[in-house]
Amino acid sequence: MKVLVLAVCIGMLGLIGAVSPKFRRTSRAVGVAANDQSATVLRSQSEIKLDGFQYLYETDNGISAQATGSLKKGPEGESLVIQGQYQYTAPDGTPIQVNYESDESGFHPTGAHIPTPPPVPEAIARALAYIAAHPPPVEKRL
């Protein structure tokens, strides 16, 4: 999992042109995009250090993203912890915003457009509570 998180981070940083261990870049451009293929980058910043990174970008068609990552020391060694968000407009015109955290336990996105499961019916919840409170007896094998 750690390798996957690290690979995603490196890929994201590669997209914004950060290739040096200590690299800082800021750019501004002006323009209006007719579609996503001709979008202009309005703002792009990135900083990579040995113990973490941060980046952000924004395009003239409403796409933007930002994230920060840092190394976290744990019992199994170091892991990369990332917090960020991205937003864009869906083809149907719906604004989409995703906030996320990624750590040794995986990628955890949140957003109004992400479906959530329906609540557990009360009768099922009571049955599960009963089963948990009254486990079946353990049979001894000879």
Side-chain angles (χ1 to χ4, degrees), residues 33-120:
N35 60 39
D36 291 346
Q37 294 175 346
S38 62
T40 301
V41 176
L42 300 174
R43 187 168 52 142
S44 174
Q45 296 176 340
S46 63
E47 185 175 2
I48 303 172
K49 298 179 181 179
L50 294 175
D51 62 346
F53 70 91
Q54 65 181 20
Y55 74 85
L56 68 88
Y57 64 86
E58 181 180 356
T59 62
D60 63 351
N61 62 349
I63 297 172
S64 66
Q66 63 183 23
T68 58
S70 61
L71 289 175
K72 173 183 166 187
K73 295 184 188 233
E76 296 181 20
E78 292 182 332
S79 63
L80 189 59
V81 176
I82 303 168
Q83 293 178 334
Q85 69 91 23
Y86 58 89
Q87 62 187 26
Y88 62 94
T89 302
D92 67 357
T94 305
I96 303 294
Q97 180 172 346
V98 176
N99 295 303
Y100 63 90
E101 187 169 312
S102 182
D103 56 21
E104 65 274 3
S105 67
F107 181 73
H108 310 284
T110 58
H113 67 290
I114 297 175
T116 58
V120 176

